[in-house]
Amino acid sequence: LKQDIELKTEIIEKEKVLINDQYIGVLKGLKLILDLKVDALDADIKSLKKAARQNVGPEIISRIQQIINTGLIELKGDFKIYWNNNPIAKLNSGSDYLRPKINLIIDEMIENDERNKLNEYLNKWINKKIDTELSSLIELKNIKDQNPELRALAYRLYENNGVIKRSHISEYLKKINQDDRKKLRRLGVKFGRYHVFLFKLFKPSSVSLRILLWKSFNNKFLNLTPPTFGLNFLDNMKSANKDFMLLCGFEKFNDIYVRIDILERLFLLIFNYSKDKKKEIKIIPEMLNLLGCSNESFIKLLKQMDYKVYERNKEYYIKYIPNKKNKYKNYDKKDYSNNPFGVLTQLNLK
């Protein structure tokens, strides 16, 4: 191997690499993995790589071109981009969680020109994916407005992945008027009873992508995964992480979690059923169907939301009786002094 002679290198079954009919390792994706357990070869790694370069190098370059031509790649939950079930790159923290960096998983025998070509393609691919799936979050991040309070609110919502409790931004909400709210609503922001959120981010593909990007950037909740898509109501969830569940779009009520956009639809259903707040409201099947839960579980949830439940003639009625000690009164005490938008509140732009 160390002599300057031409050896027969071939790839069989799309991944097994042979030198003069001797198996030396496998080509996984764009990387040659040597089998160091092979006893028959008394050679160093450098010599093996040199011998394999003749056929393996062109094959990897061909694969790079296939990737660029077909675009048949996918981003998985381990933060890696896959081609043919093999990782070819991994996401790392970038300037913010919507602009990750790409680290190639590619063999060292490949020259910089080919590396740069693949890196450029993958960066365009991931950025287009983010811009398409999370367009409302991008627009919120780039909002231009003279009102510093509106921009500060938009930033808080953006950095919290498009979902935030009203109690955490109550001071901002007091300082923006209806015209400001209209501007945010045009970007897909909903002002709910308990939350302010971007409703377009609740489709499965958007949830998967924004949670994955947030986890990768913040290096948190790495072992946690979003709830099964299609479930709006989750019971007996005592061990769940409430902060992660909120990022996924679920609000906690004791050991119950409800998807917050569905929660708002429930409030509208209740509100539209009876305009008279003093009257009891009958529980109707549409309410249970909306959440996808049993009658017993629904009643359990309602009690957590300060509704009194009555039973008459095998039918159930509810009436809102708010608890004097508001469970959502504690404002967020987190220090945002380093927030790049924090200084905007000190500006006089009138």
Side-chain angles (χ1 to χ4, degrees):
L1 282 169
K2 293 183 180 180
Q3 296 176 26
D4 228 5
I5 58 174
E6 189 173 319
L7 298 167
K8 179 187 174 186
T9 305
E10 59 182 328
I11 303 167
I12 64 171
E13 298 174 14
K14 295 186 178 180
E15 63 173 37
K16 292 181 182 178
V17 180
L18 307 180
I19 295 179
N20 279 13
D21 298 322
Q22 172 66 57
Y23 171 76
I24 65 157
V26 292
L27 180 58
K28 289 287 189 182
L30 305 176
K31 196 170 181 68
L32 174 61
I33 301 171
L34 297 176
D35 186 351
L36 302 180
K37 295 177 183 177
V38 175
D39 298 324
L41 289 170
D42 182 18
D44 58 43
I45 294 174
K46 242 184 199 180
S47 299
L48 285 172
K49 286 270 189 178
K50 183 180 177 182
R53 182 188 290 267
Q54 182 183 353
N55 277 9
V56 175
E59 173 62 20
I60 293 177
I61 292 171
S62 174
R63 291 183 178 191
I64 290 172
Q65 197 57 50
Q66 284 182 55
I67 291 167
I68 294 171
N69 290 343
T70 64
L72 296 177
I73 53 178
E74 61 176 328
L75 178 62
K76 294 190 178 181
D78 59 357
F79 315 117
K80 293 177 182 177
I81 298 172
Y82 282 75
W83 173 78
N84 276 1
N85 296 317
N86 289 303
I88 59 169
K90 184 176 182 181
L91 302 189
N92 275 357
S93 296
S95 56
D96 64 60
Y97 74 93
L98 294 183
R99 284 296 175 256
K101 287 182 179 177
I102 298 285
N103 277 3
L104 299 180
I105 301 173
I106 188 170
D107 204 274
E108 59 196 25
M109 69 175 71
I110 301 304
E111 302 293 339
N112 283 337
D113 286 349
E114 297 298 329
R115 287 171 176 270
N116 293 339
K117 186 162 69 170
L118 178 61
N119 189 65
E120 183 181 353
Y121 172 77
L122 293 179
N123 269 293
K124 286 182 179 178
W125 179 83
I126 191 66
N127 288 335
K128 182 180 179 182
K129 185 178 181 68
I130 292 169
D131 292 344
T132 302
E133 286 289 349
L134 308 178
S135 59
S136 57
L137 205 52
I138 298 283
E139 290 172 356
L140 194 69
K141 174 191 171 186
N142 297 328
I143 192 170
K144 308 291 182 187
D145 195 90
Q146 289 188 344
N147 185 347
E149 297 295 341
L150 184 147
R151 295 203 300 275
L153 173 58
Y155 182 82
R156 287 293 309 278
L157 186 54
Y158 153 73
E159 70 174 354
N160 282 277
N161 218 322
V163 183
I164 195 167
K165 286 178 177 287
R166 287 187 70 113
S167 58
H168 292 177
I169 51 171
S170 57
E171 293 306 311
Y172 294 115
L173 292 173
K174 290 174 185 176
K175 295 176 182 177
I176 63 171
N177 57 34
Q178 287 302 316
D179 287 337
D180 292 329
R181 293 189 181 215
K182 283 181 183 177
K183 293 175 185 176
L184 291 172
R185 286 191 183 101
R186 282 196 289 268
L187 297 180
V189 176
K190 280 205 172 185
F191 296 86
R193 181 169 177 178
Y194 293 146
H195 309 88
V196 177
F197 60 97
L198 284 164
F199 73 92
K200 294 179 181 178
L201 300 183
F202 285 85
K203 62 181 182 179
S205 56
S206 297
V207 172
S208 294
L209 181 58
R210 67 184 176 84
I211 294 298
L212 185 143
L213 293 172
W214 194 93
K215 284 163 62 175
S216 175
F217 182 78
N218 292 280
N219 199 32
K220 288 178 67 177
F221 308 134
L222 299 181
N223 296 323
L224 302 180
T225 55
T228 302
F229 296 119
L231 295 179
N232 302 326
F233 184 98
L234 303 167
D235 202 351
N236 299 315
M237 298 282 288
K238 290 181 181 178
S239 61
N241 184 301
K242 66 182 179 64
D243 295 325
F244 177 72
M245 291 294 286
L246 183 61
L247 281 175
C248 296
F250 283 78
E251 180 54 71
K252 173 183 170 66
F253 296 91
N254 198 8
D255 62 342
I256 293 174
Y257 283 87
V258 183
R259 218 174 84 173
I260 64 175
D261 56 331
I262 300 298
L263 194 61
E264 293 306 323
R265 287 170 60 186
L266 174 63
F267 288 140
L268 283 175
L269 197 57
I270 292 173
F271 177 80
N272 292 332
Y273 188 81
S274 175
K275 301 292 184 183
D276 188 349
K277 299 292 186 297
K278 295 181 180 179
K279 283 188 177 182
E280 297 173 356
I281 299 169
K282 182 180 176 182
I283 295 178
I284 55 176
E286 287 84 347
M287 296 176 185
L288 277 70
N289 294 339
L290 182 62
L291 271 70
C293 66
S294 66
N295 194 61
E296 182 182 5
S297 295
F298 186 55
I299 290 171
K300 180 181 171 183
L301 170 66
L302 290 169
K303 289 178 178 178
Q304 289 292 325
M305 295 195 302
D306 296 332
Y307 282 93
K308 183 74 174 177
V309 182
Y310 308 89
E311 182 181 5
R312 286 198 305 272
N313 301 323
K314 296 183 179 180
E315 293 185 319
Y316 289 92
Y317 297 82
I318 57 173
K319 188 175 182 181
Y320 183 59
I321 304 177
N323 191 335
K324 290 182 181 179
K325 292 184 178 180
N326 185 356
K327 67 181 81 174
Y328 295 95
K329 71 178 179 180
N330 294 322
Y331 299 147
D332 189 7
K333 302 298 182 185
K334 186 176 176 183
D335 179 17
Y336 290 94
S337 57
N338 292 324
N339 184 325
F341 285 83
V343 69
L344 296 175
T345 60
Q346 302 171 22
L347 301 178
N348 184 3
L349 299 176
K350 291 183 180 179

